[in-house]
Amino acid sequence: MINESMKIYTKTGDQGLTSLIGGTRVPKSSLRIDCYGTVDELNSYLGLLRDQEVNTPRRDLLKEIQDRLFTIGASLASDPEKSKMKIPDLHAEDVALLEREMDRMNEHLPELRMFVLPGGHQSVSFAHVARCVCRRAERLVIGLQDDSFVAELVVIYLNRLSDYLFVLSRQMAHELGAEEVTWKPRL
């Protein structure tokens, strides 16, 4: 709940700058901002996925993944040189959870022998969009690592999450009885 004295707008970003956790002011166009903005976009797509009826049994897991994405966002929004604030961390168990869930879903899915085209059902398409946004977030974060500290588990988690979203799209298609359209290249 927002108390009445707390306003959503601060006007401090009106000149195209924003503050990282730690107080450093950076352009809103900086790679660091692009990274955590893309993670935020991904989190919104995860909310859309969580709201799909087919994902009712996975709502708690998807909510947990959204929580981890907030953790990643906080990490990326922090100035690694100046922030003294305690930021939540990812753990190896977070990655292991995604791996276990993929293994569990794969037990019930037909063997993948060809590339799958996104689509087949609107809910499945949402999973593919989330997967693509996740891959973009991963690429951006890897680029940020070239110039600044990024916790190693952030890249690992995003990589595994994109894999999870692909397997989830297949699981959703299977549960919905949707056709899994394979790519048939013209030769």
Side-chain angles (χ1 to χ4, degrees):
M1 174 175 273
I2 298 174
N3 81 45
E4 290 183 288
S5 65
M6 183 178 166
K7 291 187 176 186
I8 297 298
Y9 61 93
T10 62
K11 300 182 183 180
T12 60
D14 290 352
Q15 302 304 311
L17 298 174
T18 192
S19 294
L20 298 176
I21 297 171
T24 303
R25 302 282 292 165
V26 297
K28 290 183 176 184
S29 61
S30 78
L31 181 56
R32 182 169 291 281
I33 306 305
D34 202 12
C35 285
Y36 72 76
T38 303
V39 169
D40 188 36
E41 180 184 354
L42 172 59
N43 208 334
S44 295
Y45 279 110
L46 262 287
L48 183 62
L49 271 177
R50 194 182 78 223
D51 291 342
Q52 301 304 301
E53 190 174 321
V54 68
N55 284 325
T56 299
R58 289 178 281 273
R59 282 201 175 125
D60 289 342
L61 173 62
L62 292 169
K63 185 178 176 186
E64 184 173 339
I65 292 168
Q66 286 186 284
D67 184 85
R68 296 299 88 76
L69 290 175
F70 253 80
T71 298
I72 289 170
S75 174
L76 294 171
S78 298
D79 182 335
E81 312 279 318
K82 296 184 180 175
S83 179
K84 307 257 188 280
M85 184 181 286
K86 175 76 174 125
I87 301 295
D89 286 330
L90 287 174
H91 301 282
E93 175 55 31
D94 299 322
V95 174
L97 174 63
L98 295 175
E99 292 170 348
R100 280 193 308 274
E101 288 300 314
M102 282 187 281
D103 292 343
R104 189 184 57 72
M105 287 187 288
N106 270 324
E107 288 176 8
H108 308 287
L109 293 172
E111 184 179 341
L112 188 61
R113 295 176 183 264
M114 302 182 86
F115 288 106
V116 176
L117 298 177
H121 188 282
Q122 185 177 27
S123 295
V124 174
S125 295
F126 291 147
H128 282 289
V129 171
R131 174 184 56 79
C132 291
V133 173
C134 189
R135 286 285 190 214
R136 177 166 31 102
E138 179 188 7
R139 290 189 304 270
L140 290 168
V141 168
I142 289 168
L144 182 62
Q145 273 185 323
D146 291 342
D147 299 319
S148 186
F149 172 79
V150 174
E152 180 182 16
L153 270 177
V154 169
V155 174
I156 294 169
Y157 188 84
L158 290 172
N159 181 270
R160 210 67 84 251
L161 179 57
S162 64
D163 296 336
Y164 168 81
L165 291 168
F166 176 73
V167 176
L168 176 61
S169 73
R170 296 192 71 222
Q171 180 68 34
M172 291 168 64
H174 179 74
E175 291 171 3
L176 290 163
E179 179 185 6
E180 195 169 56
V181 180
T182 56
W183 178 51
K184 294 177 179 66
R186 291 185 299 192
L187 299 175

